[in-house]
Amino acid sequence: MLDVQHPALAGGIFHRLDAEWSALCADPAVQSVVADWLVADGLADDVAAVTGGVADAWVRSLGPAQLLAALRPGDGRLADELTDAVLRALLRRAAGHDRSAVLAARVIVQAMIPAAVRMTRGQVRGFGGRSFDEVGHMTVAALFEVARSGRIHTRPGRPAANTALDTLRQLCRALSADREELGDNLALAELLADSRPGPADYAQARSVQRAAAAAGLQSCIPMSEGEVGGARLELLDLVLEAMESGALSTADARSIAWHYTAAVPDQDAAAIAGATPGAWRRRRSRAVARLSASLQRTAA
């Protein structure tokens, strides 16, 4: 079920997840639970229609294998309307407090394995004692926690992109904390690192940009190398987090992002928002104050 073919992964965390998934798919009780989910969420007919070509005899009725097939359409990317609806329904269930919630989160993890592999590769370094499998464990743990958090299904935009972005944030925080604990030896090793943006930086930049575009904060024009990790990206990330926490409304977020990251003139922005330029500037001023207060609370 992996989208990668590397002998180094054999026996590792992602290989074990695939083996565990096969056992889940073969369990009649799990298949029954998944079928009940799809029926209750009104997704059964659509999932059956797009996965009717699955050949294995034990997945002819609705079950986890067909659910995964719907979550990885075509080239394996989570990208169409049905996929978004199925993933959002799973994220709602994963936010619960019963065994069914744990199973829903496990399905989400399996669907996001290709993204998790890419994140893991991007964070592995040739120093500091972290192997691919060790970082892979941290990635999967972060992904499972994000899936259970209940934060994603209420957020605008593509749920897969939002899930991947939150997972990458959490993974980076965990790795940073670990680097701090290792102390001077790892700090010296960091001097050998390439300062140019790496695959993980570009992945995070794309995720932030997609989430910002989905929220109407900016257009989806690819960032240049100089912008990856730069001030514009950081501001968009902070504004998105403030929207998620409720510190900023959508209009507040746009008043900041349109002015500081997209360079939209106040007159044009106000016309789009149905306000006067003066009112739009006052909204932006209040929004900046709310964002600053939110950041201060977080820092405290």
Side-chain angles (χ1 to χ4, degrees):
M1 293 177 190
L2 280 172
D3 70 337
V4 291
Q5 298 294 329
H6 284 274
L9 298 182
I13 178 63
F14 299 110
H15 177 85
R16 291 195 295 277
L17 285 173
D18 272 352
E20 180 185 86
W21 178 254
S22 296
L24 283 173
C25 289
D27 187 335
V30 172
Q31 186 164 343
S32 176
V33 169
V34 170
D36 289 344
W37 287 350
L38 292 171
V39 171
D41 292 332
L43 297 167
D45 290 341
D46 290 336
V47 170
V50 300
T51 61
V54 179
D56 296 310
W58 51 270
V59 294
R60 292 191 184 281
S61 60
L62 292 175
Q66 286 186 310
L67 185 57
L68 183 63
L71 286 168
R72 291 193 192 167
D75 61 358
R77 298 178 183 274
L78 293 90
D80 64 11
E81 291 183 6
L82 176 60
T83 293
D84 287 354
V86 171
L87 184 55
R88 206 175 292 280
L90 283 171
L91 286 163
R92 282 196 298 270
R93 292 188 178 279
H97 302 286
D98 54 11
R99 294 180 61 186
S100 178
V102 174
L103 176 59
R106 179 62 183 86
V107 175
I108 294 167
V109 168
Q110 192 68 25
M112 299 290 293
I113 280 181
V117 171
R118 290 191 293 270
M119 287 182 214
T120 300
R121 285 193 182 125
Q123 295 301 322
V124 169
R125 297 291 185 267
F127 54 84
R130 285 296 181 191
S131 68
F132 178 91
D133 199 48
E134 287 175 314
V135 178
H137 274 87
M138 296 175 74
T139 305
V140 171
L143 176 55
F144 186 84
E145 186 172 338
V146 168
R148 292 294 314 275
S149 69
R151 294 194 302 266
I152 310 299
H153 68 273
T154 59
R155 194 187 302 175
R158 284 277 161 81
N162 287 328
T163 301
L165 176 59
D166 273 21
T167 300
L168 184 57
R169 286 174 180 158
Q170 191 151 317
L171 174 62
C172 290
R173 283 196 293 267
L175 289 169
S176 295
D178 188 65
R179 282 196 291 268
E180 290 176 4
E181 289 177 6
L182 289 176
D184 293 338
N185 290 337
L186 189 54
L188 291 173
E190 289 284 1
L191 297 176
L192 303 176
D194 191 344
S195 60
R196 293 173 300 178
D201 300 306
Y202 281 107
Q204 182 173 11
R206 286 193 297 270
S207 296
V208 171
Q209 197 172 21
R210 283 194 296 267
L217 303 186
Q218 66 157 181
S219 62
C220 219
I221 301 172
M223 290 184 178
S224 65
E225 180 174 318
E227 290 178 302
V228 174
R232 185 163 74 99
L233 179 69
E234 184 177 356
L235 178 59
L236 283 172
D237 199 8
L238 291 173
V239 169
L240 286 167
E241 286 189 351
M243 287 179 66
E244 178 188 336
S245 69
L248 291 180
S249 67
T250 299
D252 288 341
R254 288 173 179 170
S255 71
I256 295 175
W258 288 359
H259 181 75
Y260 292 107
T261 72
V264 178
D266 284 342
Q267 186 171 354
D268 295 344
I272 294 171
T276 65
W280 187 250
R281 284 191 292 271
R282 289 192 293 274
R283 174 181 284 277
R284 182 171 66 247
S285 178
R286 291 192 296 269
V288 170
R290 291 191 190 100
L291 179 60
S292 298
S294 173
L295 294 175
Q296 290 170 3
R297 287 194 298 271
T298 301

